[in-house]
Amino acid sequence: MSSSPYRFGRYVPSEQVPPEPERVTDQVVHRFEHVFEVDPERMTRFRQQKMPAWDTKRIVAARWDHLDAVHREFADEVLLAGEGPEPGPPSGPDQGKGANQ
């Protein structure tokens, strides 16, 4: 895909060819930021359809929007991978014990 901004109303097939895949592992390739795919060479049982670059980006954007909506609706806080929660106040000796203990 070209680095030029999107031109509304123009679909040019030559601009919609996805970039060449970068190998991540034996079974995974990477074409777009935050998008990992099963290596197409491994998917031989069923013929794979060609997918334009704009469609991949549209699907990824919709997934991020959905994840943001779920976080807004259900999450008290969002933890990032590799980061713990903010440290809270130190707990006293009675906290964390049940009534019978």
Side-chain angles (χ1 to χ4, degrees), residues 1-57:
M1 180 154 183
S2 68
S3 60
S4 62
Y6 178 73
R7 295 183 317 269
F8 289 97
R10 300 237 11 231
Y11 181 85
V12 180
S14 63
E15 293 178 353
Q16 297 305 319
V17 176
E20 288 299 314
E22 297 175 18
R23 184 158 302 283
V24 177
T25 67
D26 292 345
Q27 301 174 358
V28 177
V29 297
H30 181 260
R31 293 179 202 264
F32 299 101
E33 186 178 8
H34 301 296
V35 179
F36 296 92
E37 307 170 34
V38 173
D39 186 357
E41 294 174 4
R42 297 183 55 82
M43 298 185 287
T44 58
R45 180 175 287 176
F46 299 101
R47 208 177 61 176
Q48 302 299 307
Q49 74 182 51
K50 301 274 188 225
M51 192 163 164
W54 69 268
D55 210 14
T56 300
K57 291 182 177 188

